[in-house]
Amino acid sequence: MTGNRAVAYKSPGHVEVIDIDYPTFELKDGPGVNPANVGRKVPHGVILRTVSTNICGSDQHMVRGRTTAPADLVLGHEITGEVVETGPDVEFIKVGDIVSVPFNISCGRCRNCKERKTGICLNVNPDRPGSAYGYVDMGGWVGGQAEYVLVPYADWNLLKFPDRAQALAKIMDLTMLSDIFPTGFHGAVSANVGVGSTVYVAGAGPVGLAAAASAHLLGAAAVIVGDLNEERLAQARSFGCETVDLRKGDPQDQIEQILGVPEVDCAVDAVGFEARGHGQAAGEERPATVLNSLMTITAAGGALGIPGLYVTGDPGGVDEAAKVGSLSIRLGLGWAKSLSFTTGQCPVMKYNRKLMMAILHDKVQIAKAVNAQAISLEDAPRGYAEFDAGKSVKYVLNPNGYVK
């Protein structure tokens, strides 16, 4: 038996590396574990030694105290690992395999999974459809910002890399397959981005940058990224995006300067419920700002992809409506323009294999696009603090020394 170290949420603004139990093939009681899941047997699971595990903007919502996450909840839903143990029901995944773990936990057996809707699996979270590692109200599956982690339904969930040496050589790109690359790609696909499209991406954090890179991969003619943070806008420009500085006001005028018209064909919301106002209201939290802005700047008949996170419970919401996820969006405008929009978790397994092949065959450099940097597990508190302060870096934790 070996030990296990992990990154845990302690209180608003505070994470800490703590000692936790080495995983077993049973879900045990602990912070955030749904009581109905306690004692759940996992003979279909594997134990991974973590190769890489990333800090995500979704984690930051919890760390800021904007959810009901309990103290000592182990964080981390972006996981890549090496299989070190397999449960008795695992048939195809073997010890020594290097694998990517979709952040959606899914059973592969329910109606939704069979329809490729793995973000809303019916069997892994007793409270509601959909689950994820290390996330509040998602069933209590222990997070992967740790040295070791349990993954259920391994034959179904895991994406095995075809060659170990190749995988480790490209690990900084491949680590993005667990969440942000498929999530950004899903946002672009949901917005109907295609050859010749003009695209606006709201938010130049890692998911927004991944959406912008995905739009390029899908053949967009022009990709425009909007943000309030100049460092993040510079990162978007580094791989060929146009940018809009939202400190100067709403994006229409700046879009018109770029395209000659104040509208785009497609738009992606990579911000979510902690959105800030534009222009003179740039310092104010206005959770409906992005959604309303996108409905204004998207051409009639267009589509919005919304991978940005919206929640049903936000203790820090700006008003009572926002605290339960009720926002004043201009649905009438969206209806009048015949806009369509897609929300919810990205079904990672719908995209991750094809995106893996794009990485392995050098069709995309996603780590470069999102400015990925590896740090030690013990350095995670610094990574969280710098990311929260707006640093344009995608922090990749390296708990077992695989990342060179």
Side-chain angles (χ1 to χ4, degrees):
M1 182 65 68
T2 184
N4 197 10
R5 299 275 284 164
V7 180
Y9 167 73
K10 301 297 284 188
S11 61
H14 182 206
V15 300
E16 195 173 295
V17 181
I18 64 172
D19 292 303
I20 64 170
D21 292 337
Y22 182 84
T24 65
F25 295 104
E26 178 181 326
L27 191 55
K28 297 183 178 177
D29 197 9
V33 179
N34 190 298
N37 260 350
V38 174
R40 184 170 181 162
K41 306 297 183 185
V42 191
H44 41 69
V46 300
I47 295 171
L48 300 182
R49 180 186 295 119
T50 305
V51 171
S52 57
T53 178
N54 316 326
I55 296 174
C56 180
S58 299
D59 298 321
Q60 289 284 21
H61 294 306
M62 289 188 290
V63 172
R64 293 187 190 116
R66 297 299 296 267
T67 71
T68 56
D72 289 325
L73 180 76
V74 174
L75 301 167
H77 55 271
E78 300 190 14
I79 310 163
T80 306
E82 179 178 7
V83 178
V84 293
E85 293 186 50
T86 61
D89 291 352
V90 176
E91 185 175 1
F92 303 111
I93 294 292
K94 306 299 182 185
V95 170
D97 288 346
I98 305 292
V99 295
S100 178
V101 185
F103 80 89
N104 323 108
I105 304 172
S106 57
C107 71
R109 298 160 178 170
C110 71
R111 171 181 175 176
N112 286 348
C113 285
K114 290 177 180 179
E115 294 178 356
R116 301 181 77 190
K117 301 172 184 175
T118 53
I120 44 174
C121 174
L122 300 173
N123 289 330
V124 287
N125 182 356
D127 280 343
R128 61 173 184 256
S131 188
Y133 304 88
Y135 214 86
V136 60
D137 298 331
M138 287 290 189
W141 300 90
V142 178
Q145 288 177 13
E147 293 171 324
Y148 297 89
V149 63
L150 170 69
V151 173
Y153 303 104
D155 283 326
W156 165 255
N157 278 306
L158 295 178
L159 174 65
K160 177 184 172 182
F161 298 137
D163 181 85
R164 178 188 179 92
Q166 183 188 35
L168 292 177
K170 291 181 175 287
I171 197 62
M172 290 294 281
D173 291 290
L174 294 171
T175 191
M176 304 305 163
L177 291 173
S178 57
D179 183 356
I180 68 160
F181 193 12
T183 294
F185 193 82
H186 178 60
V189 169
S190 300
N192 293 333
V193 175
V195 175
S197 297
T198 58
V199 186
Y200 177 75
V201 178
V207 169
L209 295 172
S214 298
H216 284 310
L217 191 62
L218 289 165
V223 181
I224 305 169
V225 180
D227 204 287
L228 299 161
N229 181 320
E230 174 52 35
E231 182 181 342
R232 291 181 170 180
L233 291 174
Q235 181 62 30
R237 290 192 293 272
S238 75
F239 61 96
C241 299
E242 303 283 353
T243 58
V244 164
D245 186 344
L246 296 171
R247 293 171 298 181
K248 298 178 181 178
D250 289 333
Q252 293 98 317
D253 290 343
Q254 294 176 70
I255 289 173
E256 185 169 17
Q257 291 171 14
I258 296 166
L259 299 178
V261 293
E263 291 183 321
V264 292
D265 301 324
C266 322
V268 179
D269 173 3
V271 178
F273 74 103
E274 287 193 71
R276 301 278 167 176
H278 301 159
Q280 292 183 343
E284 301 174 14
E285 185 168 321
R286 295 188 176 183
T289 294
V290 170
L291 292 173
N292 288 329
S293 175
L294 296 193
M295 284 193 282
T296 299
I297 65 174
T298 304
L304 280 58
I306 309 175
L309 177 66
Y310 290 87
V311 295
T312 57
D314 174 15
V318 294
D319 53 38
E320 292 305 309
K323 289 178 181 179
V324 294
S326 181
L327 308 181
S328 297
I329 61 172
R330 295 189 65 190
L331 186 59
L333 175 62
W335 189 94
K337 295 176 74 174
S338 294
L339 301 177
S340 61
F341 60 87
T342 301
T343 65
Q345 285 189 31
C346 164
V348 171
M349 293 172 68
K350 185 175 180 179
Y351 308 107
N352 62 353
R353 184 172 297 278
K354 290 181 179 180
L355 294 177
M356 174 187 75
M357 297 304 291
I359 289 170
L360 295 178
H361 290 274
D362 299 318
K363 300 301 182 186
V364 64
Q365 293 180 300
I366 190 63
K368 184 177 180 180
V370 301
N371 194 25
Q373 295 182 20
I375 59 175
S376 70
L377 188 73
E378 299 296 332
D379 233 4
R382 175 180 66 84
Y384 269 96
E386 292 183 355
F387 185 36
D388 191 48
K391 193 171 181 63
S392 186
V393 174
K394 176 67 173 177
Y395 283 109
V396 176
L397 303 182
N398 180 28
N400 289 301
Y402 286 87
V403 183
K404 304 304 180 185

